[in-house]
Structures are given as structure tokens and as C-alpha cells.
Amino acid sequence: MIIKPDGVKKRIIGEILKRVEGAGLTVKSMRMLQLDRKTAGRFYAVHKERPFYQSLIEFMISGPVVVVALEGVNAITRYRNLIGATDPDKAEEGTIRRQFGESIEVNTVHGSDSAENGILETSFFFSTAELGMIPEE
Ligand code: GDP
């Protein structure tokens, strides 16, 4: 998951992580960073042909983000239920995007949409050592 620049600016990092942990998901690793244009572009490369791509990149580099590696049984489904639909207006009441999101673009959090993408996106930001995947000698 990523807490997007609007979430950091709103000072709700703790609030979001509280809900994520409260839903039974485990934080394996996390880091705050400022994305540059190239890295944000690579991360969202699947959306390159979409009309909102440039705008999305500008938003994602508009301030620091918090990247978080999560673990849990059915983590993707449980996390997506917690954040709600992409468009905050269409997200269910009580979800993170419904409560804090401003628009279909400025929607506070990112989440991987499949287990396969979860692995790709987690390894985009975290090393195996950071994820505790290297066994001790
Ligand atoms: P997600 O998996 O729910 O984050 O949604 P997508 O993978 O479809 O889109 C990635 C991100 O692009 C979203 O979280 C939004 O920040 C942004 N986005 C998606 N659809 C639109 C759109 O129609 N317009 C704009 N401006 N941004 C969008």
C-alpha cells in the first residue's frame, strides 16, 4: 500500500495505519519517501496510455508518500474493502477513500489489485532483507 501525498499532508498516516492493523493486516516494512517523476512513472506504467497519467504522476510527486508492505490472509481483498472504490464518491461509507479522499485522483491511498501485483509492487520498493525474507545464519 501507499499513503499518497494528500494522506501525508492531512496528517492521517497514523489513522490509516491504525485501521489497516485493526483489520488484521501486518506491517512487514515501511518507509517515507519523495517519489521522483521517473520512479512514479515506472510505478504507474500500466496507466501510461490513460488520459489521467500525467496528472496522476504530478500528484504522486507533489509531496512525500509512505510505502508500506503488508502481509495477511486474503490481504488484497481485506485491504481493498478497507479503502473502498477508486472514486471516493462511489466508495462505501466508512472506507478510507470515502472519508478522506478528495477526488478520483486524490484518493489518499494506493493498494495492489491482485496478489501478483502485490508481489511486484512490494518488490518495487522493498528489498528481501527489508521484508525479513533472508533467513538468519
Ligand atoms: P486503484 O487500483 O483503485 O488505485 O485504481 P486504478 O489502478 O484504476 O488507478 C490508479 C490511480 O489513478 C487511482 O488510485 C487514482 O489516483 C488515479 N485515477 C484512476 N482513475 C482516474 C481517473 O479517471 N481520473 C484521474 N484524474 N485519476 C484517476
Side-chain angles (χ1 to χ4, degrees):
M1 67 170 283
I2 304 176
I3 302 176
K4 295 185 179 184
D6 65 309
V8 175
K9 286 192 186 108
K10 289 183 190 107
R11 294 184 294 204
I12 51 171
I13 296 171
E15 172 67 33
I16 292 170
L17 291 176
K18 186 179 171 186
R19 292 187 191 197
V20 167
E21 291 190 311
L25 296 164
T26 300
V27 173
K28 292 295 286 180
S29 194
M30 59 185 280
R31 186 177 345 117
M32 181 181 263
L33 58 100
Q34 170 68 52
L35 285 169
D36 59 33
R37 192 167 269 108
K38 194 176 160 200
T39 309
R42 275 177 51 229
F43 184 78
Y44 277 120
V46 293
H47 295 306
K48 213 181 318 193
E49 306 306 327
R50 308 282 283 275
F52 58 82
Y53 179 71
Q54 279 310 327
S55 172
L56 173 62
I57 300 309
E58 293 305 321
F59 164 53
M60 289 302 289
I61 66 172
S62 66
V65 298
V66 178
V67 293
V68 187
L70 295 175
E71 183 179 77
V73 176
N74 292 326
I76 302 283
T77 308
R78 282 157 76 190
Y79 176 76
R80 303 255 349 158
N81 287 341
L82 201 63
I83 66 173
T86 309
D87 183 350
D89 286 340
K90 297 195 177 115
E92 271 190 54
E93 212 58 60
T95 59
I96 291 170
R97 283 170 163 173
R98 175 73 178 209
Q99 189 172 348
F100 302 111
E102 292 168 35
S103 67
I104 193 165
E105 178 174 283
V106 182
N107 58 4
T108 315
V109 280
H110 167 79
S112 307
D113 59 7
S114 66
E116 191 187 17
N117 281 336
I119 291 166
L120 284 175
E121 293 181 356
T122 303
S123 54
F124 186 91
F125 287 111
F126 298 98
S127 68
T128 47
E130 285 173 310
L131 297 170
M133 289 166 67
I134 296 176
E136 285 178 32
E137 285 180 23

